[in-house]
Amino acid sequence: MPFLSGSQLAKEIKSLAPNVPIVLISGYTALAASELLFVDAHFGRDTVLDNLLGTMWRLVRSSRMSARDRQAARRNSRA
């Protein structure tokens, strides 16, 4: 991304919709804890698809998104 890192984008999204789960997918196997403050799950190089899908299902089921958060998530997915 030209203007924001993934962790900066996660912070922006959480400030707008705190209950929206954030999954960061990167080319790095590990990231510093400071990069993951606003991230609910991180997947890096060598990620197994089943692990990614299982985590996403868990996050969606456990998320208690308000109507406002759902609207923000829809707006952000179109951007």
Side-chain angles (χ1 to χ4, degrees):
M1 293 181 294
F3 302 108
L4 293 174
S5 69
S7 60
Q8 291 169 329
L9 178 60
K11 182 178 180 180
E12 292 292 321
I13 293 170
K14 286 290 188 178
S15 72
L16 295 171
N19 294 325
V20 172
I22 304 294
V23 176
L24 180 66
I25 301 173
S26 73
Y28 297 105
T29 303
L31 293 174
S34 62
E35 295 286 314
L36 300 174
L37 288 174
F38 300 96
V39 174
D40 296 293
H42 168 253
F43 291 94
R45 186 176 303 156
D46 301 326
T47 294
V48 176
L49 182 59
D50 287 342
N51 292 344
L52 175 63
L53 292 173
T55 297
M56 293 186 75
W57 274 111
R58 180 181 51 78
L59 288 170
V60 168
R61 281 194 310 251
S62 68
S63 177
R64 300 291 182 244
M65 292 174 62
S66 68
R68 179 179 165 202
D69 289 340
R70 282 191 298 275
Q71 283 181 329
R74 280 194 287 275
R75 278 194 308 272
N76 291 333
S77 70
R78 292 183 203 137

